[in-house]
Amino acid sequence: MYMQKSIAEATVGHIGSRQARVEDAALLQGQGRYADDMATPPGTLQAAVVRSPHAHARIRSVDASRALTMKGVHGVLTGDDVKRWSNPFPVGVRAPMEHWPLAVDKVRYVGEPVCVVIADDRYLAEDALDAVQVEYEPLTPIIDPEAATLNDAPILHEGVGSNVVNERNFRYGDPERAFAEAPHRITLKVQYPRNSCTPIECYVVLAQYLPASETYDVMANFQGPYALHSVMCRALNVPANRLRLRTPPDSGGSFGIKQGVFPYVVLMGLASRKVGAPVKWVEDRLEHLQASSSATNRVCEIEAAVEANGRVTALRYDQIDDCGAYLRAPEPATFYRMHGNLSGAYTIRNLAVRNRVVLTNKMPTGLNRGFGGGQVYFALERLMQHVAAELGLDPLEVIQRNLVPAGVFPYRAAAGALLDSGDYPAAVELARRKGNLDELLQRRDQARAEGRLYGIGYAAVVEPSISNMGYITVAMTPEERQKAGPKNGAVSTATVSVDPLGSVTAHVSSTPQGQGHQTVVAQIISELLGVKLESISVNVELDTGKDAWSIASGNYSSRFSGAVAGSVYNATLKIRERMATIAADMWQVSSTDVRFADGKIFVENGPSQPFHRVAGTTHWSPGLLPEGETGGLRETAFWTPPQLEAPNDQDCINSSLCYGFILDFCGVEIDRVTGQVRIDKYVTTHDAGRILNPMLVEGQILGAYSQALGVALMEEFAYGEDGSFLSGTLADYLIPTAPEVVDPVILHMETPSPFTPLGAKGVGEGNNMSTPVCIANAVADALGRSDIKLPLTPSRVRSMIGIDEPAAPEGLVMDAPKVAGGSALQANDLVEIPAPPQQVFDAILDPETLKAIIPGCHALELESENHYRADVTVGVGMIRARFAARVALTDLDPPHSLRLSGSGNSPMGSATGSAKINLVALENGNTRLEYAYEAAVTGKVAAVGGRMLQSASRVIIGQIFTRLAQRLSGKPIDTSLWQRLRALLGMGGTK
Amino acid sequence: MHVRADQRFPIQIELNGRQREGLAEPRMQLCDFLRHELGTTGVHVGCEHGVCGACTVLVDGVASRSCLMLAVQAHERRIDTVESLSRDNIMNDLQQAFSRHHALQCGFCTAGILMSCVEFLERVPSPDETQVRDMLSGHLCRCTGYTGMVRAVLEVAQQRQETLVENNNDV
Ligand code: FES
Ligand code: FES
């Protein structure tokens, strides 16, 4: 194993040094080459995707004929094409359900792709979206994961007959006995929300179908795992060498989410095939938020068997993972990535686990930084805090009592994880001492003495890295696994070559997203070959047609520093050995005496040659080389750790190769008036083995931590009960900005991993696992409550501390709280009309009047008595949509009352509403028209316009009746500025 | 200028100190024009609705969202993008400080943030941390947690002040 100097000793530019990044110069000068910056072949067309406005509906018909006549449109890819040319995506569990890149029979979530329009440019393609007519038969959606498991729930995939598409039960040790013997059984039920580390760059795909070789050549900002290359090939029905997948040099962030671009790789490949030209698709932010990928929301009931001193002897997990509308590879990996280490950092030997995977009408889930860890630790560490609270113990003491002790590593945990190295108690001590815990405890005492709401939270977390490619097969029974054949390991690759002029180029298949892989690769090579760091070129583009890669390639499971950097080390060693042999032969010395430094190859106090001279020999004069030396200098290393074995028949799985340790604690104060959670102090302690570059490690920790603050305090993909997606803009889906991020105190320990070539472990995801629950525990401590739900938004916290709404100022009528569904709207208002009730009543029944008073009504056609078809354009701010609507007048009671209802579909979404109208005769001969309406909006309008809908609907519906009054009086009705302002601000009606 | 919806118009701008001309339909966003017409791909697009700040450029010296502006609105105006910051491949003090303090990872948000910082430091030459964080709140960065940026901006502000004092002392 590599013997490393301590950080302080590390030479500039070498492993362990705080080397500035080689990536920065290009990125800081606007010279990054991201997916949307890449050159497109001449004649490239652009795609836009028609998406479902419904959470659950049967597709009755798709008619693209009008779109095809529009300017610049070259073709429309439909479900029929997709069925003709491709296969459903393979999934990891056995259940009869089909997932195609376009919906073929039903749509199962808002935003699901239904058609692809391909046109000359993106603007024209988007224009034509509206012209594709899709007729839907709406079905009842199911959103709540627990309700989805019930027998009477609407079923997403009829072939399966249930929304529970996978269930597995596990037992390790003797949990029944441990629970029976324990003096305490302590239970907690928690929910982990849906969210996403959503990168700032969205998905980009550039696809070209080459008919002569039946090859799909695709560039996409895909990030792996490249096991999904096989999934894409199966879907496209081609051998793997007929899907050439490339990635651009730079990525605008991924955090797991760009794994979810793979269905679009297939989709755009088919789109290119449809039009016979290269097709490019650039996802927009609404598409990204509503239909790319999401973390899996989980419901978990967790129970501990506890001794009086807080020692936990057994755990029982009963978990439901909500994977959305389709089980998309690699799901149900959210469960199994963490399976081996379900006992966390603790020596809990008895486990009972029930895992159910449920499908609901939401976007499908996938990788998201901290994959599976946020979910597991939110349950486990909340439970540990709860155990302490229930037994009146100190939470840190409960943690310490259960930690895996020092000196027992490698330690086999109950469910199979082989914890490679660490000293957990020492890390806790380090955190306590250097993080100044005593002072924080005093601060809490003082705050509480002053009547403030202050709490302290802890989290102890084992951070897995380098996933075992076999862990996902734990979703199958041992018998099913037997049939499918064992899966295990995690092959990483790296290639190092030296060219005829002696410069060094490296290639890694780690598809980085900004972590600085190029810098670390250069550090390793620079140290081993003694060449200048700046002279090394590191290529991180991955081309499946040319480069060394395997199914484990890609950017996930924090595999770089342990696995990929290790392979770089191995490949570079091979180069060094070969060059040392050549030099040794030349000088007739032993190759072990040959040194590499300062651009030279030499023997201490002996001969010396420039590095490039020795390298050049292998290209220019191979005839002079020693026997056995082939010439040329290029070495590819493949590396897979033997510890990553397939799951055994008892379902034990070493799900990852390395396990770092994290101990976090924090102090929070809660504002009694606003409910805001303020982080007072946050301390995070890491042991991730050898640190290859402290600056980059710190960057990873800070980034993960700030994403986790979002998870804890603000981020959630919100769905209405009708399945509407309500977080379609970055103004609705809030992520932390600079003032909200309180810098943490970061502490380090280094216990090298015995299993990786450089002793390093992953470090990039730990805080995504530890920080949300640490903050939740602090809030639980502050409020003395156990029912903590994320995100801890001010409104949620306020409702927990039970603050009364201050009274509204005199004369101000506040909106009634929105009814369930989120996008449902209701209000009432009145208007005085200068005509008697009968005349008003007749006017409403008159089609001409009706047409004139409905804002934006282009045409109104009688269908049957008092039932009309209408063509209406509605605009709210920048959003405009043309609705094919139905309008009906019912419950006629002339001249007193009637009901006006309408419903319509548009590419922007669908809307339904109905208004009860009362006509009251006034003494002056006029009529007071009172109306009360309820409306519901779904689709794009609900996703992006949620904040404006209440006021917008008020304005639009108000217009109907003011126009009626205008028409009957023959003059404009004077609505005062004040009234209009109030209407705009969404305040109450004119009472 | 009289514009028709389906017609492309010649747009002249002073881009990074050079006169440039390109064609744009009236509805074309400025960010698309800068990226795809004129090739300044340092301008990034993260949301197209004015929240993320990745597309920020200077319009007549004022930091502006190029996704919320139309190309036609930029006609005959001065636009500066991230490509204007370095001279002869030597990064300016702010860019160098960003690298030193690891203020970027994927770099996708960085171009916009640099442009806001450029304008900000002209307006507020010696800011405190709260002011810097407040200015950065107009941008979303998903990678860094902002720590490095805050340090970089404060350091550059201080260095520039020191240079100013030295220069004054020299006089
Ligand atoms: S792209 Fe302009 S603000 Fe996000
Ligand atoms: S550096 Fe990646 S978003 Fe800021």
Side-chain angles (χ1 to χ4, degrees), chain A residues 15-65:
Chain A
I15 304 169
S17 74
R18 226 187 138 77
Q19 173 63 43
R21 302 200 321 166
V22 300
E23 290 89 343
D24 287 354
L27 301 183
L28 282 163
Q29 296 180 83
Q31 294 163 20
R33 286 175 298 152
Y34 301 89
D36 190 30
D37 305 335
M38 301 304 282
T40 53
T44 298
L45 304 176
Q46 304 258 346
V49 182
V50 176
R51 293 175 183 275
S52 168
H54 297 284
H56 197 191
R58 204 167 294 289
I59 299 177
R60 281 231 198 87
S61 64
V62 176
D63 177 4
S65 52

Side-chain angles (χ1 to χ4, degrees), chain A residues 392-659:
Chain A
L393 300 169
D394 172 46
L396 189 57
E397 217 178 291
V398 173
I399 288 175
Q400 284 173 303
R401 184 144 297 144
N402 289 287
L403 283 179
V404 175
V408 299
F409 293 90
Y411 174 82
R412 183 74 71 179
L418 185 62
L419 305 180
D420 53 335
S421 67
D423 185 343
Y424 302 173
V428 174
E429 241 349 89
L430 175 75
R432 179 204 288 280
R433 219 169 3 91
K434 286 246 186 107
N436 234 334
L437 178 59
D438 290 341
E439 191 252 355
L440 194 67
L441 289 164
Q442 278 167 22
R443 238 193 284 189
R444 178 176 67 180
D445 290 346
Q446 189 181 342
R448 287 183 172 173
E450 290 166 11
R452 284 148 49 200
L453 289 171
Y454 196 104
I456 291 178
Y458 305 87
V461 157
V462 160
E463 176 185 2
S465 54
I466 311 174
S467 285
N468 184 341
M469 299 315 281
Y471 76 62
I472 187 58
T473 61
V474 180
M476 298 194 270
T477 62
E479 298 74 49
E480 287 170 334
R481 283 201 298 269
Q482 199 80 50
K483 269 192 223 144
K487 300 227 168 37
N488 65 317
V491 178
S492 64
T493 65
T495 301
V496 178
S497 58
V498 189
D499 59 46
L501 295 182
S503 45
V504 182
T505 303
H507 175 268
V508 285
S509 53
S510 62
T511 54
Q513 54 168 50
Q515 300 103 319
H517 293 182
Q518 283 146 290
T519 304
V520 177
V521 171
Q523 284 176 262
I524 296 166
I525 295 172
S526 172
E527 174 166 336
L528 290 188
L529 298 185
V531 295
K532 271 209 173 67
L533 181 120
E534 301 75 39
S535 73
I536 299 163
S537 168
V538 183
N539 188 309
V540 293
E541 295 159 63
L542 181 47
D543 178 342
T544 60
K546 292 202 284 111
D547 298 324
W549 63 280
S550 183
I551 60 157
S553 296
N555 178 26
Y556 63 95
S557 81
S558 302
R559 58 189 289 281
F560 176 76
S561 44
V564 180
S567 291
V568 172
Y569 177 74
N570 290 348
T572 314
L573 274 187
K574 288 200 211 173
I575 294 276
R576 189 169 75 171
E577 275 159 25
R578 281 179 58 190
M579 293 182 82
T581 308
I582 294 167
D585 182 67
M586 204 154 45
W587 300 324
Q588 294 300 305
V589 296
S590 157
S591 67
T592 51
D593 290 336
V594 178
R595 301 277 173 273
F596 292 70
D598 303 322
K600 291 194 196 72
I601 299 177
F602 60 95
V603 175
E604 214 73 66
N605 303 318
S608 164
Q609 275 216 351
F611 180 85
H612 68 86
R613 284 295 288 272
V614 180
T617 314
T618 69
H619 294 281
W620 301 105
S621 34
L624 301 180
L625 297 175
E627 214 177 293
E629 171 55 57
T630 53
L633 265 184
R634 182 188 181 94
E635 290 293 342
T636 295
F638 288 87
W639 180 76
T640 186
Q643 292 82 7
L644 293 185
E645 294 166 329
N648 68 13
D649 287 348
Q650 285 70 51
D651 288 313
C652 290
I653 175 72
N654 185 21
S655 31
S656 303
L657 178 67
C658 297
Y659 301 87

Side-chain angles (χ1 to χ4, degrees), chain B residues 44-55 65-68:
Chain B
H44 294 157
V45 176
C47 71
E48 297 172 281
H49 56 253
V51 180
C52 75
C55 66
R65 305 284 207 233
S66 63
C67 72
L68 294 186

Side-chain angles (χ1 to χ4, degrees), chain B residues 70-97:
Chain B
L70 298 170
V72 290
Q73 291 174 294
H75 184 54
E76 293 182 341
R77 299 174 79 171
R78 197 180 86 232
I79 309 283
D80 293 294
T81 68
V82 69
E83 282 93 343
S84 70
L85 298 183
S86 53
R87 289 271 168 272
D88 301 328
N89 203 27
I90 297 183
M91 296 196 284
N92 75 7
D93 53 353
L94 195 58
Q95 290 167 308
Q96 291 181 20

Side-chain angles (χ1 to χ4, degrees), chain A residues 200 252 255, chain B residues 103-110 140-144 149:
Chain A
I200 304 298
F255 323 114
Chain B
L104 68 154
Q105 288 182 29
C106 78
F108 203 75
C109 67
T110 313
L140 297 178
C141 173
R142 214 38 176 158
C143 297
T144 64
M149 294 175 208

Side-chain angles (χ1 to χ4, degrees), chain B residues 145-164:
Chain B
Y146 310 100
T147 312
M149 294 175 208
V150 173
R151 287 183 193 153
V153 175
L154 287 172
E155 185 184 278
V156 168
Q158 198 189 342
Q159 281 171 354
R160 288 187 186 176
Q161 288 305 304
E162 282 164 9
T163 325
L164 213 62

